[in-house]
């Protein structure tokens, strides 16, 4: 009979760590990291789901994205989801 194999255990990444990793990889500065970090989880998830920030000024792009998503969240346009 075949021997049972153990699967590797990969610990789950906490929501805070996932957000921290994403913002560090985004390469943004100024007010952008604070604006992102102080946002509700639904806004952070939607910002990360939208992909990397691009353009000649990633910080400005992220600020615009977060402001747009916060408005959508206030207006009920973002689901309250978890990781």
């Amino acid at each position: 009979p075949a021997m049972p194999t153990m699967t590797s255990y990969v610990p789950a990444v906490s929501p805070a760590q996932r957000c921290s990793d994403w913002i560090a990889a985004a390469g943004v500065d100024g007010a952008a990291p604070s604006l992102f970090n102080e946002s509700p989880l639904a806004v952070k998830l939607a910002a990360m789901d939208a992909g990397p920030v691009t353009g000649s000024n990633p910080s400005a792009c992220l600020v615009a994205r977060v402001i747009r998503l916060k408005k959508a969240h206030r207006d009920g346009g973002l689901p309250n989801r978890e990781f």
Side-chain angles (χ1 to χ4, degrees):
M3 296 291 288
T5 59
M6 294 187 68
T7 57
S8 298
Y9 172 72
V10 178
V13 176
S14 72
Q17 186 62 53
R18 181 174 169 214
C19 292
S20 178
D21 291 348
W22 188 86
I23 201 72
V28 295
D29 57 13
S34 294
L35 183 65
F36 176 83
N37 289 327
E38 295 167 2
S39 297
L41 180 59
V43 170
K44 291 179 191 177
L45 291 172
M48 292 187 294
D49 288 348
V53 287
T54 58
S56 60
N57 188 340
S59 297
C61 293
L62 180 59
V63 167
R65 181 184 295 181
V66 170
I67 289 171
R68 178 179 49 80
L69 291 169
K70 278 186 167 185
K71 181 179 181 329
H73 183 64
R74 268 193 316 273
D75 296 345
L78 290 180
N80 285 319
R81 55 178 250 245
E82 297 295 324
F83 277 82

